[in-house]
Amino acid sequence: MTAPKASTRTSNDSISWLLILGLIFHLTYIGTVFDCYFTSPVVHGMQSFRMTQPLARRLVLIVGDGLRADLLFGVNGFKDVVLDAPEVVAPYLRDVIERRGAFGVSHTRVPTESRPGHVAIIGGMYEDVSAVTKGWKTNPVEFDSVFNQSSHTFSFGSPDILPMFAHGATPGKVKMWCYQEEDEDFTKDATALDLWVLSNLRILFQNATADPILESQLRSEKVVFFLHLLGLDTTGHSYRPFSKEYMRNIQVVDSIVRQTELLLGEFYGDEETSFIFTADHGMSKIGNHGDGDPDNTRTPLIAWGASLRPPLPSSPSHPSTHDIYSAPWNLNHLHRLDVSQADIAPLMATLLGLDWPVNSVGVLPDVDPHGSGYVDWEKAGGERGRAEAAIVNAKVILEHYRVKHEIKKSHALFYAPYPPLNHQDAVPGSSQLSDIESLFEKGEWNKVRESCFELIGVTLEGLRYLQTYDRTLIRGIVLAAYLGWAAYSAVFILVPRSSITSRPYQRSQLQAVLTSTSWVTLFSFWILFAVQRSPWTFYLYITFPCYFWYRAISRGTEPFLAHVSSPKFGMTEVVKVVGRGVLIVSALLSMVAAYTHRSIWSAGFLIIGVLWPLVSWSNEVLKNRLLLLAWIGSCLVTGMFPLLGVDKKESLAAILSGGLCTIALGSAAAGWDWCQPKSRMWKIYLIQLGFIAITMVITTSSVINLQAKAGLPLLNQVCGWVVLGSATLLPFLLPLQYPDALSKMTVYFLAFSPCFIILSISVEGLFYVAYSMTLVLWIEVEASLRLLASFPSRPQGISNRVKSKVGDLQTYKPRTDDLRIALFFLFFVQVGFFGTGNVASISSFYLEPVYRLMPIFRPFLMAALLVFKIVAPYVILSVAFATLNARLRLPPFSLFLVAMTLTDGMTVTFFFNVTDIGSWLEIGQTISFFCITSLLLVWSAGICAAGELLMADVLGSTRTRQKVD
């Protein structure tokens, strides 16, 4: 009897299994960057501490959302953009700085968004990163805040900010007055939002005259008034900071501050109110925020009123702290005191005598023994009071460390406490604290502050130590997992199929050892994680490398040893393999560098557009001068766009130029098709060209109206949505019969062209045209090279349908040039992101085009429009790549299989480059880079799947004909 025929592939060996596993793995491992670098800082169970005496009866916190420090403090900051601009744009706040208060710059962290900024100001902690999954709106973990510790908080402003501080607070303690979300209209005068806040504050005081309960609440101690002024943020997005509108909005805010102080003075008739004026984040010069641009992270801070010090002249004892940034402010004669944003919360708690927020990691500026501080200690307890504040600050942060230390100690199997705080004390830091209290009893105030400042610094480092305690372990798991995936996927593709399909599966001794070793390793880590009470994600993370390495070694060892021991294997082959590896690694590292140096993408186009044809193309292909010149020209033109800056201004001429180029290409396609017998595609092209023309008219009208501040006409908004939706859905709704792949690609190209008119701010439409042309020519170039390589004796004009069998994906084995094509694919994927902007930088997204369709603030819908604009070029890439697979007579997803073995070289590099220290710009970018490359495989798989789906009708018949031939 003959043995039964072995299955060609087990379930664990199928291509679909490899693809699904790869997608799950890469999606799962995005979480490693947060578990490794950005775990939640929020813990509970800390004891509260406060000053013995309050320094003020009430406090007013005014936040100018999106206010840049330089444009508030600066002199003649708007002269270049506004002819009649005043020398000082905020005279009242300027007078406060020069005569009554202290000022400085509050430095924020990324993300420079409203919620994280307000959490830092009011909670004294930096945002729990898991809040991003809830759109920065809902608290993922309850945290303490100054508002929660007040007797009453009266807050006015945006419905996006106020509720998060009422949620979780003592019921009834935080009262809110919010306008409607519909009022946040980017096409209207945003100062109305700020004036609404002032109006409702005035109404509150008026109502108190007839409401004894309200008046009693207002006149109690430890009251906080919170005025959230959103107008500047809305105006900055609409018109950018360097504009007349932004300048006038600052003037309105300045007037609101003045009137607010007058209102409180009239109602209370005392001088027991402290005022804090600051901003949650700044605004880049293109009207965006979110990343670590210095213009986004530098915000103003002004403090005046009860128990806050007057201006401090620069002197030898208090030298000027100004630099090049603040030189244009003409405030060098006054002391500038900068703080971290989280330091504002302890300042407010100290002024009101509140329990400090237990999650606060802020350091009161007055604790620094070499700094001036913000509190006027001559009127607030003298040096004794200042020393007491330093002790409270030390206790709060030390208590934070104590709780985290106990949690980690109870969980970790081999726990090593932070050495500087690892004394024989039952409670970490208690001996240092006892020494400080002894100094306090002796009245050595300066030594108390010095010791507290040193202890706070050590404790913050200890908190960081505990926060990053598991970092080495996670890094090791991540490295093993990505290398294991690369090995597994490479072996899957490169191992000859005959070594698997020619004989039944037999459990060898090696496989038995590998199996037992894998299970022992996996269960050992699971036991470790169970003892340490690690997050459930850790169990999942370790599973992947164990499986990958088991499959790679068990499957690849025998073929590898057989190949190495074969007579054909020699030094020449080793040199070739090493050389190709060096080239691949160099290309991947160049793409890594291109994330921060966009000009490298342009250099890449120069290499593939000019150098590659001269070095690698055969003479037969080079003789096709038209193809050669078209390829060089398209690469050079497309390569110009990464050289352009990401800071763009709205240019109607550039937008319409992109539309005209699209119409020119579409007209040429329609003319060519009209000349073809029995073809009716030119009628579809003309319909699409009509949509493009209408879109240009609508966009022109909308831009003119918005620039004239006349608002968005309802007709423009409705027509814009109708045309954009109709043009985009046309290829998917009409039952069209396409004669070939190129005609269908043309339909898709024209379908998404209106998107690059109505949602463009400048040259994006021109990039879309050049990028699409390059992709079409890439198909022709690769098809010509593969055709001549496979059939060198055939004439150049040979038909595409040669007698070559289309392979099966199960038996596909990559050729040498498939590696290059896969690298080209990865290159084009990323150029689509970085061609006209920088997707890794939030500030490279422009909101002006979105206002042509959505003038009301709808963050998720606006984000969806921006994402749609980003995705549109990838529809062309997807259909082009699917067509390329078919033209090369390769099975679907074959080239993607090669590409997915290469992407993680970039991913691992970016993972180890992630940092949570240094400049905010570095922190934000490193996170973005890792997430983008982690999603690169998922995104690429989506591109391939979409292309095969969209081109199924034309490519399916092509592949069928190729098999029959």
Side-chain angles (χ1 to χ4, degrees):
M1 293 180 62
T2 59
K5 186 176 181 180
S7 175
T8 58
R9 194 70 65 89
T10 65
S11 61
N12 284 350
D13 284 333
S14 67
I15 293 295
S16 59
W17 165 254
L18 182 70
L19 295 175
I20 294 173
L21 180 63
L23 298 180
I24 295 174
F25 165 62
H26 285 83
L27 287 173
T28 301
Y29 261 59
I30 290 177
T32 59
V33 73
F34 297 106
D35 283 327
C36 183
Y37 298 97
F38 301 97
T39 53
S40 173
V42 180
V43 292
H44 300 94
M46 284 84 77
Q47 180 183 348
S48 300
F49 299 93
R50 68 165 72 179
M51 296 280 289
T52 55
Q53 294 294 329
L55 308 182
R57 289 184 62 86
R58 68 198 69 88
L59 181 140
V60 179
L61 171 64
I62 305 175
V63 176
D65 199 307
L67 177 58
R68 290 169 53 132
D70 58 340
L71 294 184
L72 177 72
F73 294 142
V75 176
N76 293 321
F78 292 91
K79 283 293 185 182
D80 294 337
V81 293
V82 182
L83 294 177
D84 58 343
E87 182 177 345
V88 176
V89 72
Y92 185 76
L93 286 171
R94 179 82 175 195
D95 182 73
V96 169
I97 293 171
E98 294 184 332
R99 297 176 53 199
R100 295 193 287 145
F103 85 103
V105 174
S106 171
H107 296 275
T108 74
R109 289 190 182 181
V110 286
T112 47
E113 298 288 351
S114 293
R115 177 193 161 95
H118 283 89
V119 168
I121 294 170
I122 301 167
M125 55 169 273
Y126 295 106
E127 178 65 285
D128 186 342
V129 294
S130 61
V132 72
T133 62
K134 301 188 177 183
W136 301 120
K137 290 182 179 293
T138 305
N139 302 340
V141 181
E142 299 302 334
F143 60 89
D144 199 7
S145 72
V146 171
F147 293 174
N148 187 48
Q149 298 298 337
S150 67
S151 62
H152 300 282
T153 292
F154 302 90
S155 56
F156 306 83
S158 169
D160 298 323
I161 299 300
L162 270 54
M164 68 184 178
F165 294 102
H167 178 70
T170 304
K173 180 172 288 190
V174 181
K175 295 181 171 61
M176 302 182 298
W177 286 264
C178 304
Y179 38 76
Q180 299 298 316
E181 290 185 355
E182 290 75 15
D183 295 330
E184 300 176 15
D185 190 332
F186 286 91
T187 65
K188 295 182 179 179
D189 186 357
T191 59
L193 302 177
D194 298 340
L195 294 173
W196 184 96
V197 170
L198 177 64
S199 175
N200 279 266
L201 177 65
R202 182 178 286 111
I203 292 172
L204 176 72
F205 288 125
Q206 292 173 354
N207 291 341
T209 60
D211 187 341
I213 296 177
L214 176 59
E215 183 173 18
S216 174
Q217 293 174 345
L218 287 171
R219 294 191 181 277
S220 60
E221 293 185 346
K222 303 178 180 179
V223 172
V224 176
F225 295 91
F226 173 41
L227 277 60
H228 175 238
L229 307 180
L230 181 65
L232 283 164
D233 184 75
T234 305
T235 302
H237 286 316
S238 300
Y239 303 104
R240 305 191 180 190
F242 290 96
S243 64
K244 180 184 292 186
E245 292 76 14
Y246 194 82
M247 179 195 74
R248 289 179 176 171
N249 207 146
I250 295 178
Q251 293 174 320
V252 170
V253 168
D254 185 64
S255 175
I256 289 174
V257 174
R258 178 180 62 82
Q259 294 182 63
T260 298
E261 190 169 4
L262 287 174
L263 279 173
L264 270 81
E266 292 173 359
F267 184 82
Y268 291 107
D270 59 25
E271 296 183 356
E272 297 295 322
T273 306
S274 299
F275 293 87
I276 303 289
F277 179 86
T278 187
D280 52 348
H281 55 76
M283 182 80 65
S284 70
K285 60 184 179 182
I286 63 173
N288 286 343
H289 57 83
D291 67 355
D293 187 307
D295 289 330
N296 294 335
T297 63
R298 293 184 291 210
T299 61
L301 175 62
I302 307 173
W304 73 100
S307 297
L308 288 161
R309 69 167 174 81
L312 186 64
S314 297
S315 64
S317 57
H318 295 287
S320 175
T321 53
H322 293 273
D323 51 21
I324 296 176
Y325 174 67
S326 60
W329 303 349
N330 291 349
L331 292 172
N332 288 5
H333 60 290
L334 299 177
H335 187 70
R336 163 189 160 187
L337 180 58
D338 289 8
V339 302
S340 295
Q341 194 171 48
D343 300 343
I344 299 175
L347 174 61
M348 294 191 292
T350 299
L351 290 169
L352 290 179
L354 306 175
D355 286 344
W356 287 29
V358 294
N359 302 113
S360 171
V361 294
V363 180
L364 184 68
D366 303 74
V367 172
D368 187 351
H370 305 293
S372 58
Y374 275 83
V375 177
D376 187 355
W377 293 105
E378 293 182 1
K379 299 179 181 179
E383 290 300 316
R384 177 188 176 91
R386 191 172 185 178
E388 181 189 357
I391 293 177
V392 171
N393 203 159
K395 286 182 176 179
V396 169
I397 296 180
L398 191 60
E399 178 71 3
H400 202 170
Y401 173 85
R402 181 192 67 79
V403 171
K404 286 196 171 185
H405 162 81
E406 294 298 332
I407 293 174
K408 182 60 66 176
K409 182 180 179 180
S410 64
H411 291 176
L413 186 59
F414 305 104
Y415 176 63
Y418 185 56
L421 294 173
N422 185 26
H423 299 289
Q424 300 302 318
D425 309 327
V427 178
S430 58
S431 60
Q432 294 98 316
L433 201 56
S434 297
D435 294 340
I436 291 172
E437 291 176 337
S438 297
L439 292 173
F440 184 82
E441 294 297 329
K442 296 176 183 178
E444 299 184 25
W445 316 125
N446 287 336
K447 289 186 178 179
V448 168
R449 289 168 54 204
E450 290 176 359
S451 299
C452 286
F453 193 70
E454 180 182 350
L455 179 58
I456 288 171
V458 171
T459 308
L460 288 174
E461 292 174 359
L463 285 172
R464 174 170 176 76
Y465 171 81
L466 296 178
Q467 196 78 6
T468 62
Y469 189 82
D470 296 320
R471 182 167 296 183
T472 301
L473 174 63
I474 299 176
R475 281 176 168 174
I477 293 173
V478 168
L479 180 62
Y482 280 117
L483 293 179
W485 165 254
Y488 172 47
S489 56
V491 168
F492 189 100
I493 298 170
L494 296 176
V495 169
R497 301 300 182 252
S498 57
S499 64
I500 301 170
T501 60
S502 60
R503 58 184 179 276
Y505 176 84
Q506 295 180 352
R507 191 176 183 84
S508 66
Q509 184 176 2
L510 173 62
Q511 289 170 325
V513 172
L514 286 174
T515 301
S516 58
T517 303
S518 299
W519 282 110
V520 169
T521 303
L522 181 62
F523 279 114
S524 297
F525 273 101
W526 280 1
I527 293 172
L528 174 65
F529 296 152
V531 172
Q532 296 188 160
R533 302 180 191 177
S534 299
W536 65 270
T537 51
F538 283 35
Y539 298 83
L540 191 58
Y541 294 155
I542 192 61
T543 304
F544 286 102
C546 290
Y547 177 80
F548 291 154
W549 282 110
Y550 164 72
R551 297 295 299 170
I553 296 175
S554 63
R555 175 172 175 155
T557 301
E558 183 179 348
F560 174 76
L561 294 177
H563 179 68
V564 171
S565 60
S566 68
K568 297 181 180 179
F569 183 80
M571 185 57 64
T572 303
E573 186 173 354
V574 173
V575 171
K576 288 182 179 180
V577 171
V578 172
R580 291 167 188 162
V582 170
L583 289 176
I584 291 173
V585 171
S586 300
L588 293 175
L589 292 179
S590 297
M591 293 184 195
V592 168
Y595 275 62
T596 51
H597 300 85
R598 295 177 61 246
S599 59
I600 295 178
W601 300 116
S602 299
F605 274 110
L606 187 64
I607 292 172
I608 69 174
V610 179
L611 184 61
W612 176 51
L614 297 178
V615 173
S616 299
W617 286 18
S618 62
N619 293 330
E620 289 79 4
V621 179
L622 288 173
K623 289 178 182 178
N624 189 340
R625 296 298 178 87
L626 180 61
L627 179 61
L628 174 64
L629 293 177
W631 172 251
I632 293 175
S634 66
C635 285
L636 293 180
V637 171
T638 311
M640 293 171 58
F641 291 95
L643 295 176
L644 303 177
V646 296
D647 301 333
K648 298 180 178 65
K649 293 184 178 180
E650 190 173 52
S651 173
L652 185 58
I655 296 170
L656 297 180
S657 296
L660 291 175
C661 289
T662 305
I663 289 177
L665 286 177
S667 300
W672 173 267
D673 190 79
W674 183 75
C675 297
Q676 306 303 311
K678 299 182 181 180
S679 179
R680 296 293 182 268
M681 290 302 301
W682 60 272
K683 296 180 180 180
I684 302 299
Y685 297 157
L686 291 180
I687 294 173
Q688 292 183 297
L689 292 175
F691 280 135
I692 295 171
I694 295 172
T695 305
M696 293 173 66
V697 173
I698 295 172
T699 302
T700 301
S701 174
S702 298
V703 169
I704 293 173
N705 278 277
L706 292 173
Q707 289 181 349
K709 305 174 186 63
L712 179 67
L714 180 60
L715 179 62
N716 288 30
Q717 184 178 6
V718 173
C719 291
W721 279 106
V722 170
V723 173
L724 181 63
S726 301
T728 304
L729 295 176
L730 178 68
F732 306 98
L733 298 180
L734 293 182
L736 303 176
Q737 297 293 327
Y738 298 96
D740 51 41
L742 182 59
S743 63
K744 191 167 189 179
M745 291 178 62
T746 304
V747 168
Y748 284 125
F749 167 73
L750 295 175
F752 288 91
S753 294
C755 164
F756 277 90
I757 298 173
I758 200 167
L759 291 178
S760 288
I761 190 172
S762 182
V763 298
E764 296 98 311
L766 294 171
F767 168 76
Y768 176 65
V769 172
Y771 182 73
S772 302
M773 288 295 297
T774 304
L775 292 176
V776 172
L777 290 169
W778 182 41
I779 298 172
E780 297 302 320
V781 168
E782 296 291 0
S784 298
L785 292 173
R786 179 64 59 93
L787 181 65
L788 289 171
S790 302
F791 304 95
S793 60
R794 296 221 177 226
Q796 188 172 343
I798 189 172
S799 169
N800 291 331
R801 287 187 292 146
V802 297
K803 295 182 178 180
S804 175
K805 183 179 180 181
V806 179
D808 189 293
L809 192 58
Q810 303 290 341
T811 58
Y812 165 72
K813 184 177 181 180
R815 297 168 45 161
T816 302
D817 55 350
D818 288 352
L819 289 171
R820 175 188 52 73
I821 296 173
L823 281 174
F824 279 22
F825 171 66
L826 294 177
F827 176 80
F828 283 118
V829 168
Q830 294 170 98
V831 166
F833 282 131
F834 293 93
T836 59
N838 184 357
V839 75
S841 172
I842 300 174
S843 285
S844 67
F845 296 118
Y846 300 87
L847 291 178
E848 286 104 318
V850 179
Y851 304 152
R852 302 167 198 160
L853 294 172
M854 179 53 58
I856 305 297
F857 181 66
R858 295 285 188 275
F860 290 102
L861 183 56
M862 289 178 166
L865 288 171
L866 292 173
V867 170
F868 175 68
K869 177 184 171 183
I870 293 171
V871 170
Y874 292 101
V875 175
I876 309 302
L877 177 60
S878 67
V879 296
F881 198 58
T883 304
L884 178 62
N885 265 282
R887 288 287 299 276
L888 299 184
R889 302 165 194 87
L890 297 175
F893 290 98
S894 54
L895 291 173
F896 168 70
L897 289 177
V898 180
M900 74 180 185
T901 65
L902 306 176
T903 58
D904 288 333
M906 300 172 62
T907 307
V908 172
T909 303
F910 281 128
F911 180 84
F912 282 94
N913 285 340
V914 170
T915 180
D916 57 351
I917 59 175
S919 73
W920 310 140
L921 178 62
E922 293 170 342
I923 296 171
Q925 282 190 338
T926 56
I927 300 172
S928 300
F929 293 164
F930 170 75
C931 291
I932 290 171
T933 52
S934 296
L935 291 170
L936 195 58
L937 182 139
V938 181
W939 187 249
S940 301
I943 290 173
C944 295
E948 293 294 334
L949 178 64
L950 295 176
M951 303 295 286
D953 51 347
V954 292
L955 297 186
S957 59
T958 300
R959 287 187 172 113
T960 301
R961 289 195 304 266
Q962 290 174 350
K963 288 182 179 181
V964 172
D965 286 345

